[in-house]
Amino acid sequence: MIIYEMFKDSEESRNMFSWGFIFVDDWDSVKESYGALSFIYGTIVSSLIALFMALPVSIGVAIFLSELAKTAIRTTISFMVEILAAIPSIIYGFWGIFALAPFMRETVQPFLQSVLGFIPFFQGNIYGFGMLTAGIILAIMITPIITSITRDVLRAIPVSQREAAYSLGSTRWEAIKMALLNAKSGILGATVLGLGRAIGETMAVTMVIGNRAQIKASLFEPAYSMASVIANEFAEASGSLHISALIEVGLILFGVTFIINSLARFLIFSVTYKMDNK
Amino acid sequence: MDRSVLLLNERNLKQRKIKNYLMILFCAISSIITIFPLVYIFFYTTGAGISAINLDFFINLPKPVGETGGGMLNAIVGTLILIGIGGLFGIPIGILAGIYVSEYSGSIMSNIVKFITDVLSGTPSIIIGIFAYGLIVLPMQRFSALAGGFALGILMIPTITRITEEMLKLVPHTLREASLALGISRWKTTLRIVLRTASSGIITGILLAIARASGETAPLLFTSFGNNFWSISLDQPIASIPVMIFNYAISPFDEWHRKAWAGAFVLITIVFLVNLIVRIVTKTKYKAG
């Protein structure tokens, strides 16, 4: 039903721009020329930054929770991770504007520029708001999801496997590595699910990404994402073509998250199913 | 394999032990890294919120820029109304879908329902907003509380369905069989016995769904839209706390920022309390079971 509705409502824009819509980076409501490439780029890059930062940390936490921590510490930390997942995204965004962005502008970005300035990613003007800041916020937001699923997948691996590893004289890390290898498709699923979440995240990204439709190599530059352009322009869109174009952006977004989520469910399911049937 | 030979090698063992400690250290450090933003956000919001919050915030309407005082009464009431509409619509559907998936599991239809719920829970909330816009706002020709509530209702469904399903699965099968053996029809068994046994779990699910919905902003931007004045009619735009925070946060006025922090503080408190309650309830339940 959702798909049908969005398909119908975006008809005008689809007829107008056909497939060129996703390959053109021009977005101008005055000239009535719409292309979504810069939003797609912004969404993908900010999500990838988030994933790149969140993945090792989440796996670390998941291992800590499922293999290492004592019960008291474990319940406290899992509770905190749950809260982290439950905080409304608007609060992340708000915090991003007033705490993270100034911090990025004054401390992190000048430092990165002076150390890694030779890479194009870290050149250009420093605004504080931009791709990198959005990526960091997203990383904070998707860590709890990846963590909790990875932890569940690790728990599904039988303890006897670890005992077998210990009995062969392996260290604790080597035993954990065994479990990780067994859980790898589940962890991949958790990662993909986190990616899907990052792609669809709206408010927090809108508030810190800078909202400028452009494609720049520098991660410090403001950018735009699919979800945030809808959030910003939908309520005051001028003309039916504009709305229709925005709905088409939504349709692309929905398609992407749909595929990603189905993939993730399938991967997680395959691990838990295999373990249940052993 | 030559693993046993490697084991005898003293230097190799030392390396493995160092690696072991390093990796465990890494895991512990990542836990700290993860907890840090939570603590930071929590205290930042609390710090900024408490100084801005007072009785006015809860009992007054927003004032224009420049005037001091004023509150968010309309947004608070608006959020309650939106959640009410969403709940009226989302909770029954969520529970019924959960019952269907759990009690009639195995059929093709229940698998389809399950899959759709999964997809729905992964769908970005802004997409739900567009959907509500197309379905309700366009035909009505204006933003309305009804559309916002509808969007929130859809958002609640997957959470409630999932938890209902899991809670019903915890109900022992013998209970159902005993009831059926006494000649009670299937729908009565489900409604009066299975559902009642699982009710406390389902209530926690509803609480979680409400907590999540109360913080949702994206789908409300172009369904309920927001309103600076007092309004409780369902076919008009209505204010809500998250949208109010958003509008105030991106405004250039310090006074409004303080208001927004107060709103954020209220939201974060709700979320924290609900999670704490759920945690305590489920914990005592598992201990008893």
PDB file of all heavy atoms in Angstrom, chain A residues 86-94 137 141 201-205 207, chain B residues 125 215-218:
ATOM      1  N   ALA A  86      17.027   4.279  22.534  1.00  0.00           N
ATOM      2  CA  ALA A  86      15.667   4.785  22.694  1.00  0.00           C
ATOM      3  C   ALA A  86      15.590   6.306  22.674  1.00  0.00           C
ATOM      4  O   ALA A  86      14.513   6.860  22.534  1.00  0.00           O
ATOM      5  CB  ALA A  86      15.060   4.262  23.998  1.00  0.00           C
ATOM      6  N   ILE A  87      16.719   6.990  22.817  1.00  0.00           N
ATOM      7  CA  ILE A  87      16.685   8.462  22.803  1.00  0.00           C
ATOM      8  C   ILE A  87      16.173   8.942  21.452  1.00  0.00           C
ATOM      9  O   ILE A  87      16.655   8.486  20.414  1.00  0.00           O
ATOM     10  CB  ILE A  87      18.092   9.036  23.064  1.00  0.00           C
ATOM     11  CG1 ILE A  87      18.531   8.718  24.490  1.00  0.00           C
ATOM     12  CG2 ILE A  87      18.107  10.537  22.836  1.00  0.00           C
ATOM     13  CD1 ILE A  87      19.910   9.238  24.806  1.00  0.00           C
ATOM     14  N   PRO A  88      15.190   9.840  21.455  1.00  0.00           N
ATOM     15  CA  PRO A  88      14.654  10.316  20.176  1.00  0.00           C
ATOM     16  C   PRO A  88      15.742  10.991  19.340  1.00  0.00           C
ATOM     17  O   PRO A  88      16.625  11.648  19.881  1.00  0.00           O
ATOM     18  CB  PRO A  88      13.606  11.343  20.610  1.00  0.00           C
ATOM     19  CG  PRO A  88      13.281  11.043  22.009  1.00  0.00           C
ATOM     20  CD  PRO A  88      14.491  10.428  22.605  1.00  0.00           C
ATOM     21  N   SER A  89      15.622  10.826  18.011  1.00  0.00           N
ATOM     22  CA  SER A  89      16.695  11.321  17.159  1.00  0.00           C
ATOM     23  C   SER A  89      16.777  12.842  17.204  1.00  0.00           C
ATOM     24  O   SER A  89      17.831  13.418  16.996  1.00  0.00           O
ATOM     25  CB  SER A  89      16.488  10.844  15.726  1.00  0.00           C
ATOM     26  OG  SER A  89      15.265  11.303  15.236  1.00  0.00           O
ATOM     27  N   ILE A  90      15.661  13.488  17.516  1.00  0.00           N
ATOM     28  CA  ILE A  90      15.680  14.945  17.566  1.00  0.00           C
ATOM     29  C   ILE A  90      16.641  15.429  18.646  1.00  0.00           C
ATOM     30  O   ILE A  90      17.301  16.449  18.493  1.00  0.00           O
ATOM     31  CB  ILE A  90      14.249  15.480  17.832  1.00  0.00           C
ATOM     32  CG1 ILE A  90      14.209  17.000  17.862  1.00  0.00           C
ATOM     33  CG2 ILE A  90      13.675  14.972  19.137  1.00  0.00           C
ATOM     34  CD1 ILE A  90      13.664  17.589  16.644  1.00  0.00           C
ATOM     35  N   ILE A  91      16.761  14.647  19.711  1.00  0.00           N
ATOM     36  CA  ILE A  91      17.659  15.055  20.792  1.00  0.00           C
ATOM     37  C   ILE A  91      19.113  14.878  20.373  1.00  0.00           C
ATOM     38  O   ILE A  91      19.960  15.713  20.668  1.00  0.00           O
ATOM     39  CB  ILE A  91      17.320  14.278  22.079  1.00  0.00           C
ATOM     40  CG1 ILE A  91      15.972  14.770  22.590  1.00  0.00           C
ATOM     41  CG2 ILE A  91      18.388  14.457  23.135  1.00  0.00           C
ATOM     42  CD1 ILE A  91      15.469  14.121  23.822  1.00  0.00           C
ATOM     43  N   TYR A  92      19.391  13.804  19.635  1.00  0.00           N
ATOM     44  CA  TYR A  92      20.743  13.659  19.082  1.00  0.00           C
ATOM     45  C   TYR A  92      21.087  14.860  18.209  1.00  0.00           C
ATOM     46  O   TYR A  92      22.194  15.403  18.275  1.00  0.00           O
ATOM     47  CB  TYR A  92      20.840  12.403  18.221  1.00  0.00           C
ATOM     48  CG  TYR A  92      21.009  11.128  18.994  1.00  0.00           C
ATOM     49  CD1 TYR A  92      19.980  10.217  19.099  1.00  0.00           C
ATOM     50  CD2 TYR A  92      22.219  10.837  19.599  1.00  0.00           C
ATOM     51  CE1 TYR A  92      20.128   9.041  19.795  1.00  0.00           C
ATOM     52  CE2 TYR A  92      22.386   9.672  20.299  1.00  0.00           C
ATOM     53  CZ  TYR A  92      21.340   8.772  20.391  1.00  0.00           C
ATOM     54  OH  TYR A  92      21.490   7.621  21.078  1.00  0.00           O
ATOM     55  N   GLY A  93      20.120  15.257  17.369  1.00  0.00           N
ATOM     56  CA  GLY A  93      20.374  16.365  16.464  1.00  0.00           C
ATOM     57  C   GLY A  93      20.612  17.664  17.207  1.00  0.00           C
ATOM     58  O   GLY A  93      21.529  18.426  16.898  1.00  0.00           O
ATOM     59  N   PHE A  94      19.792  17.881  18.209  1.00  0.00           N
ATOM     60  CA  PHE A  94      19.891  19.078  19.021  1.00  0.00           C
ATOM     61  C   PHE A  94      21.248  19.143  19.710  1.00  0.00           C
ATOM     62  O   PHE A  94      21.950  20.156  19.671  1.00  0.00           O
ATOM     63  CB  PHE A  94      18.765  19.017  20.054  1.00  0.00           C
ATOM     64  CG  PHE A  94      18.417  20.328  20.670  1.00  0.00           C
ATOM     65  CD1 PHE A  94      18.879  21.513  20.131  1.00  0.00           C
ATOM     66  CD2 PHE A  94      17.613  20.375  21.794  1.00  0.00           C
ATOM     67  CE1 PHE A  94      18.553  22.721  20.708  1.00  0.00           C
ATOM     68  CE2 PHE A  94      17.286  21.581  22.373  1.00  0.00           C
ATOM     69  CZ  PHE A  94      17.753  22.750  21.838  1.00  0.00           C
ATOM     70  N   ILE A 137      27.380  11.427  14.384  1.00  0.00           N
ATOM     71  CA  ILE A 137      26.075  11.294  15.058  1.00  0.00           C
ATOM     72  C   ILE A 137      25.432   9.954  14.688  1.00  0.00           C
ATOM     73  O   ILE A 137      24.929   9.223  15.540  1.00  0.00           O
ATOM     74  CB  ILE A 137      25.139  12.447  14.639  1.00  0.00           C
ATOM     75  CG1 ILE A 137      25.623  13.751  15.228  1.00  0.00           C
ATOM     76  CG2 ILE A 137      23.711  12.143  15.038  1.00  0.00           C
ATOM     77  CD1 ILE A 137      24.880  14.191  16.445  1.00  0.00           C
ATOM     78  N   MET A 141      24.279   6.625  16.853  1.00  0.00           N
ATOM     79  CA  MET A 141      22.918   6.108  16.846  1.00  0.00           C
ATOM     80  C   MET A 141      22.814   4.652  16.419  1.00  0.00           C
ATOM     81  O   MET A 141      21.905   3.952  16.851  1.00  0.00           O
ATOM     82  CB  MET A 141      22.047   6.966  15.929  1.00  0.00           C
ATOM     83  CG  MET A 141      21.959   8.378  16.414  1.00  0.00           C
ATOM     84  SD  MET A 141      20.925   9.371  15.365  1.00  0.00           S
ATOM     85  CE  MET A 141      19.336   8.752  15.817  1.00  0.00           C
ATOM     86  N   GLU A 201      17.764   7.489   8.663  1.00  0.00           N
ATOM     87  CA  GLU A 201      17.708   8.438   9.767  1.00  0.00           C
ATOM     88  C   GLU A 201      17.499   9.858   9.247  1.00  0.00           C
ATOM     89  O   GLU A 201      18.174  10.278   8.324  1.00  0.00           O
ATOM     90  CB  GLU A 201      18.992   8.359  10.594  1.00  0.00           C
ATOM     91  CG  GLU A 201      19.018   9.271  11.761  1.00  0.00           C
ATOM     92  CD  GLU A 201      17.741   9.247  12.547  1.00  0.00           C
ATOM     93  OE1 GLU A 201      17.289   8.164  12.907  1.00  0.00           O
ATOM     94  OE2 GLU A 201      17.166  10.327  12.768  1.00  0.00           O
ATOM     95  N   THR A 202      16.567  10.572   9.849  1.00  0.00           N
ATOM     96  CA  THR A 202      16.198  11.860   9.287  1.00  0.00           C
ATOM     97  C   THR A 202      16.618  13.044  10.145  1.00  0.00           C
ATOM     98  O   THR A 202      17.455  13.858   9.741  1.00  0.00           O
ATOM     99  CB  THR A 202      14.672  11.944   9.111  1.00  0.00           C
ATOM    100  OG1 THR A 202      14.223  10.731   8.526  1.00  0.00           O
ATOM    101  CG2 THR A 202      14.319  13.109   8.245  1.00  0.00           C
ATOM    102  N   MET A 203      16.040  13.132  11.328  1.00  0.00           N
ATOM    103  CA  MET A 203      16.127  14.399  12.047  1.00  0.00           C
ATOM    104  C   MET A 203      17.550  14.761  12.446  1.00  0.00           C
ATOM    105  O   MET A 203      18.000  15.868  12.209  1.00  0.00           O
ATOM    106  CB  MET A 203      15.248  14.333  13.303  1.00  0.00           C
ATOM    107  CG  MET A 203      13.784  14.152  13.004  1.00  0.00           C
ATOM    108  SD  MET A 203      13.204  15.110  11.613  1.00  0.00           S
ATOM    109  CE  MET A 203      13.408  16.771  12.248  1.00  0.00           C
ATOM    110  N   ALA A 204      18.253  13.814  13.047  1.00  0.00           N
ATOM    111  CA  ALA A 204      19.592  14.125  13.527  1.00  0.00           C
ATOM    112  C   ALA A 204      20.488  14.560  12.372  1.00  0.00           C
ATOM    113  O   ALA A 204      21.258  15.518  12.481  1.00  0.00           O
ATOM    114  CB  ALA A 204      20.188  12.903  14.228  1.00  0.00           C
ATOM    115  N   VAL A 205      20.354  13.863  11.243  1.00  0.00           N
ATOM    116  CA  VAL A 205      21.180  14.202  10.083  1.00  0.00           C
ATOM    117  C   VAL A 205      20.811  15.578   9.560  1.00  0.00           C
ATOM    118  O   VAL A 205      21.674  16.418   9.281  1.00  0.00           O
ATOM    119  CB  VAL A 205      21.005  13.140   8.982  1.00  0.00           C
ATOM    120  CG1 VAL A 205      21.762  13.549   7.742  1.00  0.00           C
ATOM    121  CG2 VAL A 205      21.472  11.794   9.472  1.00  0.00           C
ATOM    122  N   MET A 207      19.788  18.051  11.045  1.00  0.00           N
ATOM    123  CA  MET A 207      20.215  19.150  11.891  1.00  0.00           C
ATOM    124  C   MET A 207      21.724  19.390  11.846  1.00  0.00           C
ATOM    125  O   MET A 207      22.176  20.467  12.185  1.00  0.00           O
ATOM    126  CB  MET A 207      19.754  18.904  13.322  1.00  0.00           C
ATOM    127  CG  MET A 207      18.237  19.050  13.432  1.00  0.00           C
ATOM    128  SD  MET A 207      17.543  18.331  14.893  1.00  0.00           S
ATOM    129  CE  MET A 207      17.458  19.722  16.000  1.00  0.00           C
TER     130      MET A 207
ATOM    131  N   SER B 125      11.149   6.518   9.303  1.00  0.00           N
ATOM    132  CA  SER B 125       9.889   7.105   9.741  1.00  0.00           C
ATOM    133  C   SER B 125       9.423   8.194   8.781  1.00  0.00           C
ATOM    134  O   SER B 125       8.231   8.454   8.667  1.00  0.00           O
ATOM    135  CB  SER B 125      10.030   7.652  11.158  1.00  0.00           C
ATOM    136  OG  SER B 125      11.128   8.510  11.241  1.00  0.00           O
ATOM    137  N   GLY B 215       8.722  10.499  20.719  1.00  0.00           N
ATOM    138  CA  GLY B 215       9.907  11.237  20.306  1.00  0.00           C
ATOM    139  C   GLY B 215      10.043  11.393  18.812  1.00  0.00           C
ATOM    140  O   GLY B 215      10.980  12.012  18.342  1.00  0.00           O
ATOM    141  N   GLU B 216       9.111  10.810  18.059  1.00  0.00           N
ATOM    142  CA  GLU B 216       9.242  10.860  16.601  1.00  0.00           C
ATOM    143  C   GLU B 216       8.959  12.263  16.074  1.00  0.00           C
ATOM    144  O   GLU B 216       7.963  12.880  16.444  1.00  0.00           O
ATOM    145  CB  GLU B 216       8.264   9.865  15.956  1.00  0.00           C
ATOM    146  CG  GLU B 216       8.781   8.447  15.926  1.00  0.00           C
ATOM    147  CD  GLU B 216      10.038   8.296  15.079  1.00  0.00           C
ATOM    148  OE1 GLU B 216      10.344   9.216  14.286  1.00  0.00           O
ATOM    149  OE2 GLU B 216      10.714   7.264  15.211  1.00  0.00           O
ATOM    150  N   THR B 217       9.821  12.719  15.207  1.00  0.00           N
ATOM    151  CA  THR B 217       9.658  14.047  14.648  1.00  0.00           C
ATOM    152  C   THR B 217       9.356  13.992  13.165  1.00  0.00           C
ATOM    153  O   THR B 217       8.419  14.610  12.674  1.00  0.00           O
ATOM    154  CB  THR B 217      10.949  14.857  14.815  1.00  0.00           C
ATOM    155  OG1 THR B 217      11.486  14.570  16.077  1.00  0.00           O
ATOM    156  CG2 THR B 217      10.666  16.320  14.666  1.00  0.00           C
ATOM    157  N   ALA B 218      10.172  13.225  12.462  1.00  0.00           N
ATOM    158  CA  ALA B 218      10.161  13.255  10.995  1.00  0.00           C
ATOM    159  C   ALA B 218       8.761  13.069  10.401  1.00  0.00           C
ATOM    160  O   ALA B 218       8.370  13.847   9.535  1.00  0.00           O
ATOM    161  CB  ALA B 218      11.123  12.211  10.454  1.00  0.00           C
TER     162      ALA B 218
END
